[in-house]
Amino acid sequence: TEPMSSECLGNLLRITLSAEYFEDKYLSLSVVDQSGIAWELDEAMASQCGYTVTYSNWSNIEFRASALSCHSRLEKDVFSVTVQIKASDTPDMKNTTTHLKSASCHYGPWSPRELVCESNYMEVSVRREVPQNEKNLIQGELEDWTLALPEAKAGEASIWQIVFHQPEEKKALLVSDAWSAGYGLNTTDTRVLLRIPYTAAQIQLVKVDLFLQAQGITFSAVRSSTFYKWGWMILVVDTAVACPVDGVDYANKTVIWTVPKYIQPLSAGATSFKDVLVEAGVDLQKLSAKEMASRKYMLSNDLNAITMKIPIGAEGGYYKTSVSSGQHGVKYTINLFLEHQWEDDKWGLTKHTIIKEIETPFEHVEIAITNYSNLSARLMNVTVGTFLPDVELVNLTIEGAPVALPEAAQHGYLTYEIRYANGSKAYVIQVSFDAPSIKKEYMKADMRTYTLNVTLAFISHPASETFTVPVIMVSAVKDAVLPSAQGFCDGRNLHLIIAHGNVDQNWLPFISDWHLTPEAAQKYNYSLRDNGTHLAISIPFLSSHVNYEDFRTSGIKASLHLTLKDDVTLANKRDFSISCRFSPSELIQCLPNGTVVITAVKLVGVADLDTNLLVLRDRRCKPSLVTEKTATFKFNVNTCGTSRKFNSTTMMYENDVLYFRPGNYTPVYQLKFVCWYAIKQTVDLQYESKKNPPPSIKPGFGSLALSLKLFKEKSYSEPYQELEYPVIKYLREALYFEVELLQPKDARLELNLDGCWATNSPSQDSLPQWPILINGCENSEDSYRTVFHEVNYSLRVKFPQHLKRFEVRMFTFVQGTTLLQE
């Protein structure tokens, strides 16, 4: 692509910079004079010297120069201009690349008076009239002229001063003052030129009325007289100029541009007018009547005005992106020009060229967002747009944080641009369903939704207007795996093991309305463990969160109901339960000394039962230990209304746990319990009394069932479960062991430990070994001696004499100074 192209347009030269070539570059534009000096262009210099810099077709930069611009080189009927472009990748303009472009254009023939209305300045050039008999006059010496009028600038044909005619006064400015005020003044061999920025102080806004129009059309106008020196004479020319400010209207999707034909500031003193030529076009290109008709343009020239009508969207203009209150939209832009030539009895021929860039009002445009997600590939694929070529995607906002496009890939987002044949574009956003920022939500059955929520930020060029497009896209996929559970019971606990699915990451375990947290579980001595794939819950049979449904001779039915709830809405998502029958012996202990310990439980069918109000047959016998769902009584068989029956081999004691509603004498709850004691036979024995007979134990043989458990704390309330092994401990940290006789359950037996030792491997016979207990006592050679702990009766411990508990400090095997490891 060529970086620059040039075009001659009457008395104007246009140089266009390729947007594609200079894309993403920082530019500096200068004009080179005849001495080779580059003058960097700014807004003030451009309007003073006859240069215009604008944009066309979205991002192409357009430079226009007047034939009589400050740095033009004039030779006969040709003017030449040289521009210098410096391009850099950084705003500090380092490491620039320099481009030069020179172009020449023919101009003329000139009309006696030519007026140009550019977008940033007004220009009037007038033919310079010189008296015919000048050569016959005697000229003074140059120094005589400068001595007489020292303000005059030396030179054969130079401007001396300019006088502005304002309603309240006339104001004269010398050339130097006028130049400092931003005016452009120049003379050639045949013409005098005045150039006025639209920001000049001497500009007046003048209304020009049109027939049958309620409001006139506003012009920026300056009436002035320019004095210039020719030889020894001072000559004056009228340099009035006027350019339309408004006159544009919009109706029925049509641009209507109206320009009055006779403008008072330009026709002062004239009495007769005659139209010579009216031509119009786009982008300074004149269009024939046939070309206008093909584009559906209409050009009318009536008595008082010239009118152009352009359908919005017609060929010759283009849409550009616009932003209003953060909303994306477009404006239709067309660069019209009108050339009107007329003759009057004062000036002869006048040519008035008006360049008018018209921009329609903002029109909101919805942005299409299309979902092309690939469910089988688990890929979100969203197309945003289309957009005009002047739009660029600059960043994404992901989970509330703006992310530049180069870093978006680190968050799992791929973005790329699609360009279409007509120049428009769209943007594609791709992200995996499994990206962290994609919200996953379970819906029903095997369905869950994946939600993309990202905001795209755009900028339009060259206006640098910004807007955002929120993209929320939901895809439903049949890939939900719900959690499942297995339950079982042992003699004393209910267990639930829940296998996690892929939808319950934010579901919470509840028992009724009680949130089962690790802290809450520890408070009740429950076991709650989650290894990432499974959630294991163990709750004792006798606890406040277990439901008791019925009693039968086969046992008591206990149930644990667990619900998984959404962590935000607390809506129920999944229910699990486990029910087991436990032996009635778990509720009653008939001790050899005649003491009975009975635990009554609250049944779900008696919702209003208050365990504090449970009694025995003798209502004075109250429970000694009460929870929300249990009441424990401890009493002797000869009290509390206990009845007794005999048969040949046993003695039976019977009582009831009762509940009476207030004011009622019929119990609504009755738990009957019985203790049987064997009747011992009486035999005649002959014995001899001895003082302090030595105790003796007769050796025997039998089958014993033992267990060895490691507990987490000194309270011996929670043993380590099988899934928690191996257990990691540090040197000198306490280990709490419990040895229990499981079978036979005979109250006459007592468990005694003889020896206990540690090895460096799972084999009990491997070496080395270290004795922890020797002959039932601690090892006297231990640095930290074994400590025995007393075992007391509790709901879990029916026979304290069947358990032994001891505490050992953690140690390791060494050989010399080296640790021994298996």
Side-chain angles (χ1 to χ4, degrees):
T1 304
E2 288 293 326
M4 290 180 279
S5 60
S6 62
E7 190 176 10
C8 297
L9 302 162
N11 292 343
L12 292 170
L13 164 67
R14 176 163 63 198
I15 295 177
T16 302
L17 280 63
S18 165
E20 184 178 352
Y21 186 90
F22 290 105
E23 186 176 12
D24 299 328
K25 300 291 185 184
Y26 294 89
L27 302 180
S28 169
L29 193 150
S30 302
V31 184
V32 181
D33 64 15
Q34 299 182 48
S35 303
I37 298 173
W39 299 84
E40 187 170 357
L41 206 58
D42 57 23
E43 289 184 8
M45 176 182 170
S47 59
Q48 185 174 39
C49 283
Y51 305 120
T52 302
V53 179
T54 185
Y55 289 89
S56 65
N57 294 329
W58 299 295
S59 294
N60 287 332
I61 299 176
E62 186 176 294
F63 167 83
R64 294 196 294 266
S66 168
L68 297 178
S69 60
C70 293
H71 308 99
S72 298
R73 296 181 295 281
L74 300 173
E75 296 178 2
K76 296 183 179 180
D77 58 350
V78 175
F79 72 95
S80 302
V81 176
T82 300
V83 296
Q84 173 186 277
I85 305 295
K86 288 187 176 181
S88 174
D89 292 322
T90 57
D92 56 11
M93 298 304 291
K94 291 184 178 178
N95 302 318
T96 59
T97 302
T98 301
H99 304 268
L100 285 174
K101 179 69 175 180
S102 295
S104 300
C105 293
H106 290 273
Y107 68 92
W110 292 95
S111 298
R113 179 172 65 166
E114 296 205 0
L115 307 165
V116 177
C117 298
E118 254 287 11
S119 59
N120 58 329
Y121 64 84
M122 302 186 292
E123 180 181 283
V124 54
S125 68
V126 180
R127 181 185 298 161
R128 193 171 60 183
E129 300 290 349
V130 180
Q132 294 298 318
N133 59 354
E134 173 196 3
K135 293 182 180 179
N136 299 326
L137 296 174
I138 301 173
Q139 296 188 39
E141 295 294 329
L142 181 61
E143 57 270 19
D144 296 337
W145 167 256
T146 55
L147 287 173
L149 294 167
E151 302 93 338
K153 188 176 178 181
E156 184 178 348
S158 59
I159 294 175
W160 172 38
Q161 70 175 11
I162 181 169
V163 176
F164 293 97
H165 305 271
Q166 294 176 302
E168 64 277 0
E169 63 176 349
K170 292 182 175 61
K171 183 174 183 179
L173 291 178
L174 294 176
V175 170
S176 57
D177 295 329
W179 189 264
S180 298
Y183 295 95
L185 303 103
N186 198 5
T187 61
T188 69
D189 291 342
T190 60
R191 304 191 74 77
V192 174
L193 175 134
L194 172 64
R195 191 175 296 112
I196 305 170
Y198 285 110
T199 56
Q202 277 68 40
I203 283 184
Q204 303 171 52
L205 295 179
V206 177
K207 284 282 187 182
V208 177
D209 294 329
L210 286 176
F211 181 67
L212 296 179
Q213 269 196 224
Q215 292 184 340
I217 293 174
T218 305
F219 276 73
S220 290
V222 172
R223 287 197 60 206
S224 61
S225 300
T226 301
F227 294 79
Y228 66 97
K229 168 178 166 279
W230 181 267
W232 55 271
M233 292 183 295
I234 294 177
L235 303 178
V236 60
V237 294
D238 186 342
T239 48
V241 64
C243 291
V245 174
D246 51 26
V248 179
D249 199 3
Y250 310 95
N252 300 321
K253 295 188 177 181
T254 301
V255 176
I256 304 170
W257 181 31
T258 304
V259 180
K261 293 173 70 172
Y262 306 111
I263 304 155
Q264 197 278 331
L266 303 180
S267 56
T271 58
S272 63
F273 301 89
K274 177 186 176 183
D275 263 347
V276 175
L277 181 67
V278 173
E279 292 184 304
V282 176
D283 290 332
L284 297 178
Q285 298 280 3
K286 294 180 182 179
L287 296 177
S288 66
K290 183 178 180 181
E291 290 172 320
M292 286 194 184
S294 70
R295 299 183 182 193
K296 297 184 180 179
Y297 295 2
M298 290 182 62
L299 176 65
S300 61
N301 180 13
D302 61 23
L303 184 62
N304 296 301
I306 302 166
T307 302
M308 284 191 75
K309 294 183 179 180
I310 311 293
I312 293 176
E315 180 186 353
Y318 65 98
Y319 284 100
K320 67 179 181 180
T321 300
S322 182
V323 179
S324 176
S325 301
Q327 296 295 307
H328 167 264
V330 296
K331 293 180 178 180
Y332 176 70
T333 300
I334 188 165
N335 196 21
L336 299 176
F337 90 98
L338 177 69
E339 184 180 297
H340 180 208
Q341 296 186 34
W342 74 85
E343 286 182 345
D344 59 43
D345 56 356
K346 178 181 179 182
W347 283 100
L349 186 63
T350 296
K351 182 166 76 172
H352 195 185
T353 302
I354 304 171
I355 300 170
K356 187 72 171 178
E357 183 173 335
I358 295 175
E359 189 176 87
T360 61
F362 174 84
E363 179 184 348
H364 176 68
V365 175
E366 290 288 344
I367 298 171
I369 301 174
T370 310
N371 187 0
Y372 293 110
S373 295
N374 188 332
L375 302 185
S376 60
R378 298 184 61 77
L379 185 69
M380 287 275 193
N381 189 325
V382 178
T383 300
V384 183
T386 57
F387 298 100
L388 293 174
D390 56 355
V391 167
E392 179 187 3
L393 175 63
V394 290
N395 69 43
L396 286 71
T397 298
I398 304 170
E399 295 184 306
V403 177
L405 290 188
E407 285 80 46
Q410 300 174 16
H411 296 261
Y413 286 74
L414 298 179
T415 63
Y416 59 89
E417 182 181 284
I418 302 174
R419 288 187 179 268
Y420 301 107
N422 63 358
S424 62
K425 63 171 72 170
Y427 287 92
V428 175
I429 311 297
Q430 290 183 342
V431 59
S432 168
F433 281 2
D434 302 310
S437 61
I438 299 298
K439 181 182 177 183
K440 305 165 189 67
E441 185 176 8
Y442 171 66
M443 298 301 292
K444 59 182 179 179
D446 59 351
M447 298 290 295
R448 62 174 174 168
T449 59
Y450 295 82
T451 302
L452 167 67
N453 189 344
V454 63
T455 299
L456 279 56
F458 295 89
I459 188 170
S460 67
H461 298 293
S464 296
E465 295 178 326
T466 59
F467 63 95
T468 58
V469 179
V471 176
I472 300 175
M473 197 61 62
V474 180
S475 294
V477 184
K478 291 185 176 182
D479 68 347
V481 178
L482 294 174
S484 58
Q486 291 182 330
F488 64 94
C489 299
D490 56 23
R492 293 173 181 169
N493 298 282
L494 297 98
H495 304 275
L496 266 178
I497 300 177
I498 300 172
H500 289 302
N502 60 10
V503 297
D504 57 321
Q505 293 84 356
N506 299 317
W507 294 358
L508 306 175
F510 277 78
I511 300 176
S512 295
D513 292 326
W514 181 63
H515 183 197
L516 183 56
T517 63
E519 295 77 18
Q522 185 177 16
K523 176 182 176 181
Y524 287 91
N525 289 325
Y526 299 169
S527 174
L528 178 68
R529 303 179 306 280
D530 195 330
N531 64 2
T533 62
H534 291 79
L535 174 68
I537 301 165
S538 299
I539 293 182
F541 154 61
L542 291 174
S543 71
S544 58
H545 295 99
V546 172
N547 293 326
Y548 305 101
E549 298 180 7
D550 64 34
F551 284 106
R552 293 182 185 175
T553 55
S554 59
I556 178 172
K557 185 178 181 182
S559 299
L560 171 65
H561 298 276
L562 184 88
T563 301
L564 297 180
K565 297 188 177 187
D566 185 272
D567 65 340
V568 176
T569 65
L570 296 183
N572 288 359
K573 293 295 186 180
R574 194 80 165 144
D575 294 307
F576 301 106
S577 64
I578 172 69
S579 296
C580 296
R581 287 200 176 273
F582 289 85
S583 169
S585 63
E586 295 294 328
L587 301 180
I588 188 169
Q589 295 179 67
C590 302
L591 302 181
N593 62 359
T595 299
V596 177
V597 181
I598 178 71
T599 298
V601 295
K602 177 181 178 179
L603 297 178
V604 293
V606 192
D608 61 345
L609 187 148
D610 184 352
T611 52
N612 281 290
L613 302 181
L614 288 170
V615 295
L616 299 178
R617 288 176 182 172
D618 185 345
R619 296 192 188 184
R620 292 172 298 177
C621 293
K622 309 288 186 182
S624 58
L625 178 65
V626 173
T627 69
E628 181 185 351
K629 293 186 178 181
T630 64
T632 301
F633 296 84
K634 185 176 182 181
F635 60 96
N636 189 274
V637 293
N638 297 317
T639 62
C640 294
T642 307
S643 61
R644 181 175 59 184
K645 294 180 181 179
F646 294 89
N647 62 26
S648 59
T649 58
T650 60
M651 185 166 49
M652 180 178 69
Y653 291 91
E654 183 180 291
N655 206 327
D656 296 286
V657 179
L658 305 168
Y659 178 71
F660 299 89
R661 287 195 175 99
N664 256 319
Y665 297 96
T666 301
V668 295
Y669 176 96
Q670 183 175 14
L671 174 64
K672 184 181 293 293
F673 60 91
V674 178
C675 282
W676 283 274
Y677 291 90
I679 298 176
K680 298 180 181 179
Q681 289 183 332
T682 302
V683 293
D684 294 330
L685 295 174
Q686 185 178 3
Y687 69 95
E688 181 180 356
S689 176
K690 292 184 179 180
K691 292 184 179 180
N692 299 324
S696 63
I697 300 175
K698 292 183 178 181
F701 298 93
S703 176
L704 301 178
L706 299 171
S707 73
L708 173 64
K709 295 180 181 178
L710 176 62
F711 282 74
K712 296 181 179 179
E713 295 176 340
K714 191 175 181 180
S715 64
Y716 286 87
S717 59
E718 184 179 0
Y720 284 99
Q721 301 298 322
E722 185 177 351
L723 293 175
E724 296 179 88
Y725 285 94
V727 176
I728 297 174
K729 294 287 185 179
Y730 299 96
L731 288 176
R732 300 180 185 176
E733 193 173 350
L735 302 171
Y736 301 101
F737 291 99
E738 178 185 271
V739 182
E740 182 179 7
L741 174 62
L742 301 178
Q743 292 292 337
K745 290 187 178 295
D746 189 336
R748 296 173 298 173
L749 297 178
E750 181 175 355
L751 175 67
N752 288 293
L753 301 181
D754 180 60
C756 179
W757 65 95
T759 65
N760 199 33
S761 76
S763 173
Q764 64 181 15
D765 298 322
S766 65
L767 295 174
Q769 297 181 358
W770 182 257
I772 295 171
L773 297 177
I774 302 174
N775 296 325
C777 299
E778 67 268 20
N779 185 353
S780 60
E781 296 183 9
D782 266 340
S783 302
Y784 296 91
R785 299 212 177 168
T786 302
V787 177
F788 289 94
H789 293 296
E790 184 180 359
V791 181
N792 295 314
Y793 170 82
S794 68
L795 290 176
R796 187 173 75 85
V797 179
K798 304 292 179 62
F799 302 105
Q801 65 271 30
H802 288 186
L803 286 88
K804 285 293 184 287
R805 292 172 176 168
F806 57 92
E807 173 185 337
V808 179
R809 294 289 174 169
M810 184 67 186
F811 64 89
T812 187
F813 288 94
V814 296
Q815 183 173 7
T817 59
T818 303
L819 293 177
L820 291 180
Q821 294 184 348
E822 181 69 15

